[in-house]
Amino acid sequence: MSVRRGLAGPPPLRLASPDGPWEALRGALGDGGYGLAYGTASTWAAAADDSALSRILGHEYGRYQALSGTARARFAASRLLLKHAAAAVLGAEPADLELARRPGGRPYLRGCGRLDVSLSHTGDVVAVGLSRLGPIGVDVEPGDRTAYGTGLEEDVCTEHERAALGWLPQEGRNAAVIRLWTLKEAYTKALGLGTRLSFRSFGFTVPATATAAPRLLGTDGLPADDGGWHFETHALDDGCTLSAAVGPAPHATDGTPDTAGMVDRGLMGAVVGCFRKDAAAAQGEDFAEDSREESRRAFGAGRVGRAV
């Protein structure tokens, strides 16, 4: 089965508690091979008592206890949402699923290699993605966060994307930057590279709409060979923007994708360079998410540089 081509998938599912409903998520995985869901940290963190959290968090319970305030609530909520969603799809119990990390920080469920997962949070919103096709990455961001004109577009956009932003009406430019930002976060997380890969080494069509899936572009603005990847972006009902990148099945009938099939030679070189420079790094995605949140807040006060 391959991912949808040309059109964005159905809107992400809003899930308020471990009670679900989960039928729609199971249907999304069955029909399209992947599903997106989100909720609020405040409601999910309050959905389980300490005894239940201890069982569900397992080896991560110590990390949870070491946190406080909003960070503690987000940590609990992201694990609860992810494990309950995965359990609903796999027909398992949430406490039986163990969340682990690959080199570079990508999360995975130990012993469940055919179900790829990703998580993201911003403010009180937590989001997860699940895919039985291949790698998946998700990123969520407040849609009304001031981004355009802060220097963010110069740090994360290609020259073509910056020009395309200028062709949009003034009132649509900030939302377009948020879409591009979250798409690039989602894609680099799915690749397992995160902030180690420069966002200026690849691009997307501007703007992404609710009905058309974004297209991957080279730095010159021309369509790139996406290797079977699918991208989409959604406006959530609480004002946030959620973007997802879904990779093809590793052993698809049209061939096994490799680095050269992800985009143009520029991105291929950047990806290989990241692995060579940082092959031994194992950075937790929670740390990366917190770093992104700090950077997002900093853009309100001025430009923040981005490592290549």
Side-chain angles (χ1 to χ4, degrees):
M1 178 181 293
S2 61
V3 293
R4 302 176 179 92
R5 307 295 293 169
L7 296 176
L13 302 169
R14 179 159 190 156
L15 299 169
S17 75
D19 296 329
W22 299 107
E23 290 78 7
L25 184 62
R26 286 191 287 264
L29 269 288
D31 296 337
Y34 69 96
L36 309 174
Y38 72 103
T40 60
S42 54
T43 56
W44 273 90
D49 58 29
D50 197 62
S51 176
L53 273 176
S54 177
R55 293 193 305 273
I56 294 175
L57 295 183
H59 72 281
E60 291 193 305
Y61 187 64
R63 290 185 62 190
Y64 164 77
Q65 289 182 307
L67 299 172
S68 61
T70 56
R72 187 174 191 174
R74 280 199 304 258
F75 186 90
S78 64
R79 271 53 180 185
L80 287 170
L81 176 57
L82 178 61
K83 290 192 176 185
H84 277 88
V89 170
L90 295 169
E93 291 296 324
D96 293 336
L97 301 177
E98 181 181 358
L99 187 65
R101 301 282 172 183
R102 304 185 192 279
R106 287 194 71 237
Y108 73 98
L109 295 172
R110 198 181 301 278
C112 305
R114 300 199 58 155
L115 183 69
D116 201 77
V117 300
S118 181
L119 56 86
S120 180
H121 61 70
T122 184
D124 193 42
V125 176
V126 292
V128 301
L130 303 96
S131 173
R132 62 183 181 86
L133 299 175
I136 187 170
V138 297
D139 193 69
V140 64
E141 175 71 22
D144 60 355
R145 185 187 294 275
T146 301
Y148 184 76
T150 65
L152 175 62
E153 68 273 19
E154 297 178 17
D155 285 309
V156 306
C157 295
T158 65
E159 183 177 349
H160 171 79
E161 287 171 325
R162 294 196 299 273
L165 289 169
W167 303 334
L168 296 177
Q170 181 72 32
E171 62 272 16
R173 295 174 187 173
N174 194 78
V177 173
I178 296 295
R179 288 194 292 268
L180 288 171
W181 190 10
T182 54
L183 281 166
K184 295 190 177 195
E185 290 277 11
Y187 187 37
T188 55
K189 286 166 71 173
L191 291 174
L193 297 173
T195 56
R196 303 196 303 282
L197 177 62
S198 172
F199 284 1
R200 298 190 299 274
S201 62
F202 61 99
F204 286 100
T205 48
V206 180
T209 69
T211 56
R215 288 291 311 276
L216 190 66
L217 305 176
T219 55
D220 56 4
L222 297 177
D225 179 3
D226 59 19
W229 283 75
H230 169 76
F231 307 95
E232 56 188 64
T233 184
H234 301 273
L236 305 183
D237 56 15
D238 60 356
C240 285
T241 295
L242 188 154
S243 292
V246 186
H251 304 292
T253 55
D254 56 352
T256 302
D258 56 19
T259 307
M262 289 189 301
V263 64
D264 60 16
R265 290 183 178 273
L267 177 57
M268 180 181 72
V271 170
V272 173
C274 283
F275 279 124
R276 286 177 176 170
K277 289 187 297 183
D278 206 15
Q283 207 175 14
E285 188 166 299
D286 293 307
F287 175 80
E289 283 290 334
D290 291 339
S291 297
R292 293 184 185 103
E293 189 69 19
E294 290 296 329
S295 296
R296 289 160 178 160
R297 287 196 292 268
F299 270 112
R303 180 175 177 176
V304 174
R306 181 180 173 82
V308 176

